[in-house]
Structures are given as C-alpha cells and as structure tokens.
Amino acid sequence: MGVALEIHACDLNPDLSAACALADASFAAPRCTDDGYIPLLRKYTRENGIGLIVPTIDTELQPLADARPDFSAQGTYVHVSSPQVIDIVRDKKRTMDVLAEAGVPVPRTARLEDFRRDPAGWDWPLFVKPVSGSASRGVELVQDIKALDREFDEPMLVQELLRGDEYTINLFVDEDGVMQAAIPHLRISIRAGEVEKGRTVRRDDFEAIARNLAAAMPGARGVLCFQVFDDPVLGPRVIEINARFGGGYPLADQAGGHFAENVLRQAMGEPLVNCADWRDGVTMLRYDNAVFV
C-alpha cells in the first residue's frame, strides 16, 4: 500500500505471547472484561497515534463495540460491528432466531431448559453446546435424554444433528452495510475449533446465504465469518456467526479477498479495492511454528 505501518499487540502477559514477540511493539493489558480495559486502550492509542484496533477474540467485541464512538472521536477506527450485532452473535439461540426470521436456513434449536419441558418430536442423536461458546468448547453429541439429565456450568443449547461437509464463509461488509464479497472454504481438517486444512470453494448458494445473513445483522461492519453444514438431506444450514476475523481468514486473503487491506483502507479513509475477484480451489495446509525470544 506504500504506507509505513506498525503493529502494536497487547496481552495479559506479553512476555509469553508469540504475537507480542512478533509485533513492532507490545504492552500488557487487563482482561477485556475488566473495567480498566477500555480506558487503558484509549490512553495507549491516544499516546501512540494508533489508527486502527482489530479485536481477535469474542469476549472483547462487546466492550469495543460500546466504546467505538469514543475511539472514533480521538481518531482511532475500531474494526467491530454494532453493539446490536454483537448482542445477537454472542447468544447462539438468538442468532438462530434472527437468521430464521430473515429466511436464512438454520438447524432446529432450543434452549436446554425449553427442550427438557418438551423433548417430543426430536430425532436423536443431538448436539448440545454453550449458548455463548466458541472454539468448539463444550460441544457434545448426546445419544439420549439421559445424557442431558445433569447440571451444566453455563446455559446450553440443544440442536438437531447435522451431517455432511462443514464450511466457513468469510465475508466483508463496508461501512454502508453492503456486503462486498463472500469467500467460502471447505473445512477439510479441524483442530481445537480452528481450520487446519481448507480449500476455497465457489458456490452461488453460499453467496446468497451470506447476503441474506449480512442484511439480517443491523450494523454488521468489516470482516465476519460464519459456519455452515451442507447436510445431504436438509441442505446448507448456518450454525454460528463470528463478528470478527476468523482463524481461517488467511486462506481467504491468499485467495485474493483483500479484506484485511480494506479494513486498513477504511481506517485511513481511502477508497476500497475490489475484494470479490478471488480464486477457487486455493488450499491451505497449516503447521505449528515456534517463536524464539
């Protein structure tokens, strides 16, 4: 882009963070749920001339979305959707309800307490997962109702079992709320909820789902991603949305998505580049690496 850029990273313990070791500068920050998190970020960004903040975990989306106008007032663009969008995507049951109302295909879903009151008419086995989980945490396949006759540590959902291939669709929505591109990839191999091997796939039905999904999210902005199971009987079904860069985004970028570049351009007030001219069949094979300090 012909622009000098610096990457500043923060972590609870930056001395033991690979990302902080690779960044141009780093600093310690409290948990994003701490009352001091946003004030510290505002002070740091103001004193260091930071023009863009990019959240990377689900739990920091809400505080950053709420504080977005305050950062904007001091010249810092926060890459996050509206608080309304974050409210929706952090509650998987509400996500399913909002999408279903907009005509986006989703699996049958119920809160565990509602399912226990009326379990009739469900086909076993079923999925059970946290209402606000991420990275496949707490997801279980249960074979009968006895498996649900226990206490869980957090609110849970029951969802019909979906079969078939799983896909991630990365999409970019501009500041006017218009989806500029959607890039699906097949999740060939998964580890700890992240795609380990993937391949871009061009499908018109996925793009149509992505457009409907983006339109259903009031104030969706920037890069988002969502997961789809292509069930051989039911067809594609959306199971969750991440209102941030997903772990598999580098595959979309390598395929020609230019989403990250457009986030930078939005922060700098520059015109966006075309991000819809991407390559089908690009494969990503990941491996572990080490950072030495």
Side-chain angles (χ1 to χ4, degrees):
M1 296 175 63
V3 178
L5 297 174
E6 284 186 2
I7 302 294
H8 293 230
C10 67
D11 193 83
L12 281 168
N13 190 345
D15 290 340
L16 294 178
S17 163
C20 287
L22 293 170
D24 297 303
S26 63
F27 61 101
R31 294 186 182 277
C32 55
T33 52
D34 190 287
D35 289 341
Y37 178 68
I38 294 298
L40 183 143
L41 283 190
R42 288 190 63 192
K43 181 175 185 292
Y44 187 91
T45 53
R46 186 171 57 250
E47 292 178 350
N48 291 273
I50 302 297
L52 169 65
I53 293 177
V54 181
T56 57
I57 57 174
D58 292 330
T59 46
E60 63 188 345
L61 296 177
Q62 193 71 64
L64 284 171
D66 291 339
R68 194 181 194 226
D70 297 327
F71 281 102
S72 180
Q74 68 182 44
T76 303
Y77 177 86
V78 182
H79 174 247
V80 69
S81 293
S82 69
Q84 293 87 347
V85 168
I86 308 307
D87 282 341
I88 293 170
V89 302
R90 293 293 290 146
D91 183 329
K92 295 185 188 300
K93 178 59 169 67
R94 190 177 174 201
T95 299
M96 297 296 100
D97 293 343
V98 168
L99 294 182
E101 187 174 341
V104 176
V106 296
R108 184 182 182 187
T109 306
R111 295 187 185 275
L112 178 57
E113 57 269 26
D114 295 332
F115 174 84
R116 283 170 169 164
R117 283 192 289 268
D118 184 18
W122 289 76
D123 295 326
W124 298 87
L126 298 169
F127 271 124
V128 60
K129 60 185 179 182
V131 170
S132 59
S134 61
S136 298
R137 175 183 58 81
V139 176
E140 295 182 40
L141 182 65
V142 293
Q143 300 294 333
D144 54 49
I145 200 164
K146 291 181 181 179
L148 299 175
D149 188 22
R150 69 183 195 272
E151 291 299 319
F152 290 87
D153 294 333
E154 57 187 315
M156 303 293 284
L157 291 181
V158 174
Q159 204 164 63
E160 68 178 328
L161 175 63
L162 297 174
R163 295 176 171 84
D165 291 330
E166 186 180 3
Y167 296 82
T168 292
I169 291 89
N170 287 279
L171 62 154
F172 179 77
V173 181
D174 66 21
E175 282 293 302
D176 295 323
V178 178
M179 192 193 85
Q180 296 293 318
I183 305 178
H185 66 253
L186 173 64
R187 291 161 68 89
I188 299 170
S189 175
I190 310 299
R191 181 169 53 157
E194 296 287 353
V195 61
E196 185 178 46
K197 306 180 195 304
R199 180 176 299 117
T200 57
V201 177
R202 192 178 296 276
R203 284 183 49 167
D204 292 341
D205 56 344
F206 285 170
E207 179 162 348
I209 289 172
R211 290 196 180 279
N212 288 341
L213 181 145
M217 297 288 107
R221 298 293 183 271
V223 182
L224 303 89
C225 67
F226 62 95
Q227 255 67 51
V228 173
F229 267 101
D230 190 15
D231 190 279
V233 175
L234 301 174
R237 291 291 185 271
V238 176
I239 61 169
E240 68 175 40
I241 304 172
N242 295 311
R244 53 171 172 78
F245 278 100
Y249 168 73
L251 175 53
D253 198 275
Q254 179 68 28
H258 299 297
F259 295 178
E261 179 179 346
N262 275 338
V263 171
L264 286 165
R265 287 178 172 274
Q266 286 187 153
M268 291 165 20
E270 294 193 359
L272 303 183
V273 295
N274 178 25
C275 57
D277 185 18
W278 54 275
R279 299 186 304 281
D280 191 7
V282 177
T283 300
M284 176 176 69
L285 310 174
R286 280 178 157 167
Y287 61 94
D288 289 327
N289 201 0
V291 176
F292 298 98
V293 181

